[in-house]
């Protein structure tokens, strides 16, 4: 399943996050790719808000992993940006427990922790900034658990 949609402003990305979160399930993994400033953390904020996270979600670049337990499902927000040059054996900072764990894991810069990701299971989101400074989202998954979400998105965005 794959869909493409445009987000013209931050608020649209937050609203997309809200829809994604309304289909959240235990063990869900969402990977977010795209350049610096593409909107990965903004989407995560939208998802977190809908899940009921009370704290402010911000970029965890200096933390790598942030855990939120105030939501209806735990939210694990991973920013792997700083793990690029770290050897594999030093990368596992508890990632195995939180990816496909008891909550929802959202991973920014998944390419730097590929060895921890089952690509067949994830919701794979790629964000591109186009010439009008809009965000082009490509949302892809092989996992049937996301079928209802895809149907909802098709309806909502008239795709
Ligand atoms: N349609 C849009 N969707 C999301 N963000 C947008 C949009 N248009 C403009 N922006 C702006 O782009 C920026 C996106 O920043 P954000 O922190 O979400 O990016 P990021 O992909 O997480 O970057 P990084 O790789 O540095 O973590 C914000 O300043 C936001 O206001
Ligand atoms: Mg970010």
């Amino acid at each position: 399943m794959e869909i493409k949609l445009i987000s013209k402003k931050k608020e649209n990305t937050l609203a997309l996050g809200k829809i994604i979160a309304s289909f959240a399930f235990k063990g869900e993994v969402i990977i977010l790719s795209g350049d610096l400033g593409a909107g990965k953390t903004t989407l995560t904020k939208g998802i977190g808000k809908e899940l009921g996270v009370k704290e402010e979600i911000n970029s965890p670049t200096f933390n790598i992993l942030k855990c939120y337990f105030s939501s209806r499902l735990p939210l694990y927000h991973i920013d792997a940006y700083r793990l690029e040059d770290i050897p594999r054996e030093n990368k596992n900072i508890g990632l195995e427990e939180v990816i496909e764990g008891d909550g929802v894991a959202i991973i920014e810069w998944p390419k730097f922790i590929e060895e921890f990701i089952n690509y067949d299971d994830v919701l794979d989101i790629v964000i591109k900034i186009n010439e009008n400074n809009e965000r082009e989202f490509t949302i892809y998954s092989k996992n049937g658990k996301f079928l209802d979400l895809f149907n909802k998105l098709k309806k909502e965005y008239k795709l």
Side-chain angles (χ1 to χ4, degrees):
M1 303 168 281
E2 179 178 304
I3 60 171
K4 289 178 186 285
L5 57 92
I6 299 260
S7 164
K8 289 186 196 270
K9 51 184 185 179
K10 187 176 101 180
E11 289 70 22
N12 297 147
T13 297
L14 293 170
L16 172 62
K18 193 171 170 179
I19 296 173
I20 292 170
S22 67
F23 291 87
F25 58 89
K26 187 177 156 224
E28 178 172 4
V29 179
I30 301 171
I31 60 173
L32 303 179
S33 309
D35 289 341
L36 292 167
K40 303 179 292 296
T41 302
T42 304
L43 185 68
T44 306
K45 284 177 198 272
I47 294 170
K49 185 136 204 266
E50 176 67 17
L51 284 178
V53 172
K54 304 271 181 297
E55 302 88 341
E56 171 86 9
I57 294 177
N58 42 41
S59 191
T61 298
F62 297 100
N63 298 63
I64 298 164
L65 168 64
K66 278 197 178 176
C67 306
Y68 300 94
F69 298 105
S70 55
S71 38
R72 62 186 164 86
L73 279 172
L75 174 63
Y76 304 106
H77 185 197
I78 297 158
D79 189 330
Y81 190 66
R82 265 152 219 280
L83 293 178
E84 180 170 13
D85 299 319
I86 309 288
R88 191 194 191 287
E89 60 271 25
N90 297 338
K91 275 188 192 176
N92 197 353
I93 46 163
L95 296 177
E96 265 159 0
E97 274 115 275
V98 303
I99 297 174
E100 298 195 47
D102 61 351
V104 176
I106 302 182
I107 306 170
E108 298 189 35
W109 298 98
K111 64 180 177 186
F112 299 137
I113 54 164
E114 274 182 335
E115 52 275 68
F116 296 101
I117 298 170
N118 296 322
Y119 283 88
D120 286 346
D121 292 345
V122 301
L123 186 68
D124 182 347
I125 302 182
V126 179
I127 313 172
K128 275 200 184 122
I129 307 179
N130 71 17
E131 62 275 15
N132 302 318
N133 204 34
E134 298 164 341
R135 302 319 196 251
E136 295 178 3
F137 281 78
T138 304
I139 306 177
Y140 169 82
S141 186
K142 289 185 191 169
N143 183 344
K145 287 187 183 169
F146 292 106
L147 187 61
D148 290 343
L149 168 64
F150 276 88
N151 286 333
K152 170 74 177 171
L153 291 172
K154 279 185 196 157
K155 224 168 127 186
E156 194 72 24
Y157 293 89
K158 300 186 174 61
L159 300 167

